[in-house]
Amino acid sequence: MKILMVCLGNICRSPLAHGILKQKVKDKQLNWIVESAGTGDWHIGEAPDRRAISIAKKYGVDISSQRARHFRPEFFEEYDLIFVMDRQNFADVCAQAANKGDLEKVQLFLADDIVPDPYFDDNLFDPVFQMIDKRCMEVIEIISKKKE
Ligand code: 4NP
């Protein structure tokens, strides 16, 4: 199973989702690969936002070695599932799909809700961490059950 987490800048939400799920996958000794990317190209090669690094560290997750990548259409081939954080990400990723199979890989990470962008609001980092953390546990359960 190869999972890609996608947001806009790949420096706040998707690095958190990437780091949190990766850690849980490791704890459960699942053989899954988790990575992330952004639909925007402003931050390519940069480490996550210092506030994202700091909130993750507070809860025992190290995301400091991640580097931002730009989403590319080739990623549809590479990943089994592409989780997007909000509806703009959904539209931007789907616009690059080549076929129905590609489109079927794209899901809102929270299923029927969005992960709000904390970039312009320092106070959102903690609740965003909590909602991503909770959903990562659910995602592991849902995917593990499907694979049984
Ligand atoms: P992210 O947050 O999509 O969660 O990584 C943002 C990061 C950077 C920008 C916007 C959102 N930006 O405009 O540079």
Side-chain angles (χ1 to χ4, degrees):
M1 175 63 60
K2 280 194 82 172
I3 297 175
L4 183 70
M5 301 293 191
V6 175
C7 64
L8 177 59
N10 192 210
I11 55 167
C12 298
R13 293 165 293 174
S14 60
L16 287 171
H18 170 174
I20 295 168
L21 185 62
K22 192 172 169 181
Q23 180 153 317
K24 292 189 193 303
V25 157
K26 189 170 173 231
D27 291 346
K28 292 196 177 280
Q29 297 178 313
L30 294 165
N31 190 23
W32 301 0
I33 288 168
V34 186
E35 285 163 345
S36 61
T39 57
D41 62 3
W42 314 285
H43 299 284
I44 294 172
E46 290 178 18
D49 185 284
R50 59 182 168 74
R51 297 164 296 175
I53 292 177
S54 157
I55 202 72
K57 193 175 171 197
K58 178 178 166 189
Y59 294 109
V61 181
D62 182 5
I63 63 167
S64 62
S65 62
Q66 291 185 28
R67 294 296 175 265
R69 301 188 304 160
H70 192 203
F71 182 84
R72 299 194 305 269
E74 300 92 271
F75 289 172
F76 283 110
E77 282 288 310
E78 194 176 328
Y79 296 94
D80 302 301
L81 262 177
I82 299 172
F83 281 123
V84 294
M85 300 297 134
D86 64 32
R87 293 191 168 85
Q88 186 61 53
N89 307 151
F90 189 88
D92 292 339
V93 169
C94 288
Q96 300 180 59
N99 53 50
K100 197 163 162 263
D102 286 355
L103 284 175
E104 281 168 359
K105 294 184 176 183
V106 190
Q107 294 180 24
L108 266 184
F109 177 60
L110 294 185
D112 53 7
D113 204 354
I114 62 148
V115 180
D117 188 348
Y119 190 63
F120 295 106
D121 185 351
D122 294 354
N123 294 322
L124 272 180
F125 280 86
D126 204 300
V128 158
F129 183 97
Q130 301 305 337
M131 66 177 80
I132 291 174
D133 188 59
K134 177 166 172 273
R135 183 61 179 162
C136 282
M137 288 186 248
E138 293 169 2
V139 161
I140 287 183
E141 277 189 23
I142 293 166
I143 297 175
S144 301
K145 265 193 198 133
K146 267 192 195 153
K147 291 183 84 184
E148 270 169 18

